[in-house]
Structure formats: C-alpha cells, structure tokens
Amino acid sequence: MQNDYIRVEIDEDIAIVTIDRPPVNALNSSAYGELFEVFYAISKNDAVKVVILTGAGKKVFVAGADVKEFLDFDSETGMSYTKRNNYVREYIRKFNKPVICAINGWAFGGGCALALVCDIRIASQNAKFNLGEINMGILGGSQYIAQLAHFGTACKMVYSGETIGVETALRTGIVDEVVEADKLMERCADLAKKIASKSPLAVKFAKECMNEAQEGSLKDGLKYEEEVLSRLWGTNDAKEAVNAFLEKRNPVFIGK
C-alpha cells in the first residue's frame, strides 16, 4: 500500500502503523483517509493479531489537525469534516483487533482524541496532552476524555485547552503506563506479543466486552459477557488452553 502520510510495517503478527507527516504529524483530510484505509486493510489480514499506532520522530505523536483546512469551513463543510473524522476514530475504537497507542511525544487536539480511542495507551516520558480545539472556537474529544479521565481533569482540558504533562495524564487515567522514550516501542512490542499469544477468539470477544462495558450498564455488560462465554466454552482454543496448562506447555491456538 502506497501512502503519503501513514506507514505500515508488519512484524510477524504485529502491525506497526506510523503517522509520518512532518514536521508535527498534523492530521489533514488525506491523512485521515489513509489512516482508515490502512486499518481497513489490517482488519482483513488474519495474520495480524495486534496493532501498535505511533507517530514518526521523538517529539510528537500527533500535534492536532492541520488548521489551514479550517479557513474554508462553514456549518456544512465543517460538520462533514467532523463526521468523517469521528467515523475514523470510531472505526479504530471498535476495531476487530486490539490497538496499543505508543505515544512518543505531544498528543494535542485530534492527536489526543486519536490516542483516547485506542485500547491501551503507553506514553514516553516526554509526552504532553491537550484538547486545544477550544482555542479554535470549536471543541473535540469531549466524550472520549470524559469516559477515561477524572471528570474534573476532563472538564479542565475541554474548557481551557490547557496542556498537561505525562505524570498528570497517568495519575488521571489518560495513559496507562509511562516508560523512558528509548524503551517505548520495545515495551509496546512486548505487550503486543503477549496479547497476540492468546486465543484470537478470546481476545476478539474480550475487546467487544470491554467496549460494551464502556457504553452500557453493568447489567447489560454481564449479560453480554455470558453470551460471549457460551460461545467460547465450546471452542477448540479453550480446550487447547486447558490441556496446555495441565501439560505445562505453551498452547497452540487456531482461532476456532
């Protein structure tokens, strides 16, 4: 796949997707389109079990949108832009494989929102975060940040556009782990390999259950989990996992 802004590397069962649009990896309409196309292609590749999403360079993950595009927007064209971007983000949030975000630097505006829709966020020590859309007279990322962060922190970021450091992001639930910059991709790869070693069916349904937990009530979530388990108990992978445990060996899963 030939792209201008999104690079893809397949390392066995891990796909590494890199946003590469110098100097600050700002996402324009073309980059969003490429991002969707890349994730769609990965969704059809059964060999890939986990995706790592990151930005090129050592300073910036994604420093927001390319605001030059905003100059020509009105209510109609601006909303078309918003709905398209939301569609891409929701596609990634509900993607059929786990997505680990390796936040290698600034995650501002749309870059912060993009990180928030990933399943797991691991950040380097130099990462910073904001939802600076308010500075452009609009807003963005409010629903995603409210799901994950302490509510007061979410409000502060959405209302003020204030930038926070990585330790505050960790303390308030925006990121899940912080590592040294030169260890970021190694840590993400190790976690991706660990996830990829599990039953593909179990991981797929686990992601669906976690999304259900975010969107619905506990009662509905428990019911959904029971429905999922009724399917998983009878799989070859479940039997293989038990046999491997009892025989003290690594399981060999076939996704059935």
Side-chain angles (χ1 to χ4, degrees):
M1 181 180 293
Q2 291 294 112
N3 296 311
D4 293 323
Y5 308 123
I6 310 297
R7 292 190 279 108
V8 187
E9 176 187 353
I10 307 295
D11 183 6
E12 297 181 351
D13 47 11
I14 311 298
I16 302 171
V17 177
T18 304
I19 300 166
D20 188 0
R21 189 169 184 261
V24 293
N25 300 331
L27 290 171
N28 63 1
S29 295
S30 296
Y32 269 111
E34 288 184 12
L35 193 61
F36 174 78
E37 290 172 0
V38 163
F39 269 85
Y40 181 79
I42 292 171
S43 76
K44 302 300 182 183
N45 186 341
D46 291 338
V48 173
K49 303 296 190 299
V50 183
V51 180
I52 298 172
L53 175 63
T54 193
K58 298 181 179 180
K59 187 177 181 180
V60 180
F61 169 60
V62 172
D66 188 341
V67 297
K68 294 190 296 293
E69 288 190 311
F70 294 4
L71 291 171
D72 296 325
F73 286 169
D74 54 25
S75 295
E76 183 176 343
T77 55
M79 276 309 302
S80 176
Y81 169 88
T82 294
K83 288 182 177 180
R84 191 278 318 283
N85 295 353
N86 281 343
Y87 181 87
V88 175
R89 285 190 283 260
E90 280 294 282
Y91 185 78
I92 293 173
R93 186 175 72 85
K94 297 181 178 180
F95 197 59
N96 64 346
K97 309 169 195 285
V99 181
I100 300 170
C101 192
I103 307 168
N104 55 302
W106 303 346
F108 292 168
C112 183
L114 185 60
L116 293 173
V117 300
C118 297
D119 297 286
I120 301 165
R121 286 160 297 285
I122 301 179
S124 70
Q125 290 178 324
N126 64 328
K128 296 181 179 181
F129 303 83
N130 76 30
L131 290 171
E133 288 90 344
I134 198 76
N135 298 323
M136 299 293 108
I138 54 174
L139 59 88
S142 63
Q143 301 308 293
Y144 297 130
I145 196 76
Q147 287 281 337
L148 293 170
H150 296 176
F151 191 69
T153 298
C155 290
K156 182 172 66 174
M157 291 180 69
V158 172
Y159 301 166
S160 72
E162 184 175 279
T163 298
I164 64 171
V166 72
E167 293 302 328
T168 299
L170 178 64
R171 176 173 54 81
T172 57
I174 294 170
V175 300
D176 306 300
E177 192 175 332
V178 177
V179 299
E180 295 177 8
D182 61 352
K183 301 291 186 182
L184 177 63
M185 293 307 294
E186 179 184 348
R187 170 58 183 142
C188 290
D190 286 346
L191 180 58
K193 290 174 183 176
K194 182 175 290 187
I195 296 170
S197 72
K198 312 304 180 185
S199 161
L201 277 176
V203 171
K204 174 181 179 292
F205 285 127
K207 174 156 186 176
E208 291 181 8
C209 284
M210 297 307 286
N211 281 339
E212 181 70 23
Q214 274 197 317
E215 296 174 357
S217 67
L218 176 60
K219 180 179 178 181
D220 290 341
L222 288 170
K223 181 179 179 181
Y224 187 78
E225 187 179 65
E226 288 176 356
E227 292 172 358
V228 164
L229 280 166
S230 72
R231 300 173 65 178
L232 288 175
W233 276 121
T235 62
N236 290 329
D237 278 0
K239 293 179 176 60
E240 167 63 10
V242 173
N243 286 328
F245 178 82
L246 295 174
E247 295 166 9
K248 296 181 172 57
R249 61 175 175 82
N250 292 326
V252 179
F253 294 120
I254 60 175
K256 295 182 180 179

